[in-house]
Amino acid sequence: MSRVGVLVLGPAGAGKSTFCNSIISHMQTIGRRAHIVNLDPAAEPNKYEFTIDIRDLISLEDVMEELELGPNGSLIYCFEYLLKNLDWLDEEIGDYNDEFLIFDCPGQIELYTHVPVLPQIVRHLQGQLNFNLCATYLLEAPFVIDTSKFFSGALSAMSAMILLELPHINILSKLDLIKDDFNKKKLKRFLNPDAMLLANSADEETNPKFQHLNQCIANLVDDFGMVQFLPLEANNAESVATILSYIDDVTQWAEGQEPQEPNDQIDIEEM
């Protein structure tokens, strides 16, 4: 039986940990089991404890203190150390065959946009541990309302898609922070964006000397045709359930479940 996992990616402050907790909470209400695998050597648990925690192997604080490195250099060192000790990860994951594993990743996006660290871990999970994986990439909805910032986020999401080579779901988080009707209406343009229309909007908002750059970026996004977003309200069960259904589809979670005996099905219906 293949295992199922989802990588939660995105810039710092995009709401990744909140999303992980929301998925866990929703799964508990529908009778499914899930665990958080923390891959951020600087993170502290929030609502739910980490089942597997990279800090049991190496922590950012220790590396910064002992090697006198800055936070970014220390983070790269932590992941290089993890790559040399993947047997630790194998042992920690152990026999989690039926449970859903949520890999909460750091907010330093260079780890999955242009440094080939996380892709090596992904290949190990797929090849050695038989995981069906997908990636979710979070961007803050209040951030992308600015068209130029949307293009910045879209490029980082595309970079992660290309480098990781995984089924990929883009998510706009923190919709609850957008209160006024004007911005709520404006946000709809970014869920299934027309890159060329957004480029025209960016031309109106930026210095004319950037117009050629705006058009080039829009052409790139349009040519790939992969940048679409799902809306997320972390405290809205229906919103979380919708995103989980997309994750289940791309990881083929239902196909990996053991078929139930008729008596088991009756017992469940009677509960």
Side-chain angles (χ1 to χ4, degrees):
M1 178 185 296
S2 63
R3 298 161 167 176
V4 172
V6 56
L7 277 70
V8 181
L9 315 171
K16 297 185 295 299
S17 296
T18 300
F19 175 59
C20 292
N21 287 311
S22 297
I23 290 286
I24 292 276
S25 180
H26 177 71
M27 283 186 162
Q28 288 183 348
T29 65
I30 61 175
R32 286 173 58 179
R33 299 190 63 185
H35 301 275
I36 297 177
V37 179
N38 175 45
L39 293 181
D40 186 347
E44 295 286 343
N46 194 341
K47 183 177 180 181
Y48 296 98
E49 292 293 327
F50 302 138
T51 300
I52 300 169
D53 189 352
I54 190 177
R55 295 177 305 159
D56 294 335
L57 175 69
I58 189 170
S59 75
L60 189 76
E61 183 179 357
D62 289 343
V63 173
M64 290 178 65
E65 181 179 342
E66 294 180 17
L67 300 182
E68 298 182 351
L69 295 173
N72 288 338
S74 297
L75 186 68
I76 297 293
Y77 181 90
C78 288
F79 270 83
E80 289 176 346
Y81 188 82
L82 175 60
L83 287 175
K84 294 177 182 177
N85 293 274
L86 286 174
D87 55 333
W88 171 86
L89 185 62
D90 297 349
E91 184 176 348
E92 290 292 311
I93 290 176
D95 296 323
Y96 290 111
N97 289 321
D98 300 324
E99 291 90 346
F100 193 94
L101 297 188
I102 303 170
F103 296 85
D104 191 4
C105 300
Q108 284 77 5
I109 62 174
E110 61 266 25
L111 290 172
Y112 35 88
T113 56
H114 60 276
V115 177
V117 174
L118 202 58
Q120 293 183 54
I121 295 174
V122 165
R123 288 193 290 271
H124 179 79
L125 291 171
Q126 291 175 315
Q128 301 301 317
L129 300 184
N130 199 29
F131 266 92
N132 279 344
L133 296 171
C134 83
T136 55
Y137 196 94
L138 276 67
L139 291 175
E140 294 178 72
F143 173 83
V144 304
I145 286 178
D146 183 322
T147 307
S148 59
K149 292 179 180 177
F150 166 79
F151 280 126
S152 172
L155 289 177
S156 68
M158 288 170 55
S159 182
M161 284 188 222
I162 294 168
L163 199 64
L164 293 175
E165 298 182 327
L166 286 176
H168 195 101
I169 299 171
N170 292 313
I171 297 171
L172 288 185
S173 63
K174 302 185 179 182
L175 261 70
D176 53 305
L177 296 182
I178 299 179
K179 305 294 185 182
D180 59 286
D181 292 336
F182 174 76
N183 281 328
K184 286 181 179 179
K185 184 177 180 180
K186 186 177 179 182
L187 184 66
K188 293 180 180 179
R189 298 187 304 164
F190 300 101
L191 296 177
N192 190 7
D194 184 319
M196 304 314 296
L197 286 178
L198 290 176
N200 294 334
S201 176
D203 288 345
E204 297 173 0
E205 299 170 2
T206 58
N207 190 300
K209 67 181 180 180
F210 295 121
Q211 289 183 4
H212 180 64
L213 177 62
N214 293 338
Q215 294 298 320
C216 289
I217 294 174
N219 284 330
L220 181 63
V221 174
D222 189 57
D223 287 344
F224 272 84
M226 299 188 299
V227 182
Q228 299 177 348
F229 289 88
L230 296 176
L232 169 65
E233 295 182 57
N235 295 321
N236 184 321
E238 184 177 348
S239 175
V240 176
T242 298
I243 291 175
L244 180 59
S245 70
Y246 276 83
I247 294 172
D248 287 343
D249 284 345
V250 298
T251 57
Q252 300 178 328
W253 176 81
E255 295 181 15
Q257 301 310 297
E258 296 278 351
Q260 292 179 331
E261 295 293 334
N263 289 339
D264 294 335
Q265 295 176 356
I266 293 173
D267 290 341
I268 291 173
E269 292 172 358
E270 291 176 351
M271 291 177 62

